[in-house]
Amino acid sequence: MVVAAALVVLSWVVFFAAIQRLSVGLATVVFHVQPLCLMLAGAWWLGEPLPRARIAAALLALLGLSLATGLVGGAGAVVSMLGVGLCLVAVVGQTVVGVLLRARTPVPPLALAWWQCAVGALALWPWVLVAGWPAWGPAWGWLAALGVVHTGLAYVLIYGGMARLSTSRTALLQFVYPGATLVCDALVYGRWLAPGQWLGVGLMGLALWWGARPPRSAVARVAAPRVG
């Protein structure tokens, strides 16, 4: 639990550091190579089946994400090798966490989220001492909401789902997050997407639908008449 929590904290810290050196679109796309890595790690390390349809669906979702973020067909992205390297560190950390959640004895999701918060608080405490506390006011309300809703609720649900799904399905479902973020950004803040970006969101939705279908072999086993 401590190793997994430390890797999650490390992944988010280096990802936020990467965003300062890359465009948000490029950082998001590089980071979402992680679902493909998780699929391959689950097949290699855990021996889980890896349907080719899910690999193709993940590649299609990555293409859709590239369109939705404006990386493909948009203005040239600012490229920093250090930023790309930090994103790849985050990818490795999140991949190992995903494998650990499947390989080890099941851990209660609430316990894992608690350890994640505890490790994060201890590891990042020096930064608070250096930078100081946020000014009293609305910022504390936002921080509380991020802690309770994002880490407390969202991660408990995420860890509970990951313990029940194969790594390939878990990996593909990670594309729900950027797609939902772009749609909410348009609906809530009025930042409407260009047609090419909506095409990318549609491709991610298509990939999620395609990858969610059971493999043909599983369908054949269910449909086959039972003898005896």
Side-chain angles (χ1 to χ4, degrees), residues 92-123:
V92 173
Q94 291 284 358
T95 300
V96 175
V97 170
V99 173
L100 285 176
L101 289 176
R102 293 288 300 170
R104 306 302 301 170
T105 302
V107 177
L110 185 58
L112 188 55
W114 187 92
W115 277 103
Q116 178 178 321
C117 292
V119 171
L122 290 175

Side-chain angles (χ1 to χ4, degrees), residues 214-225:
R216 291 184 179 180
S217 56
V219 175
R221 286 196 301 269
V222 173

Side-chain angles (χ1 to χ4, degrees), residues 10 26 32 34-35 55 58 99 123 149 157 159 174-175 188 214:
L10 172 66
L26 180 57
H32 277 82
Q34 188 267 340
I55 297 179
V99 173
V149 177
L157 296 174
Y159 292 147
Q174 293 185 34
F175 285 99
V188 177

Side-chain angles (χ1 to χ4, degrees), residues 133-140:
W133 295 96
W136 182 255
W140 283 92

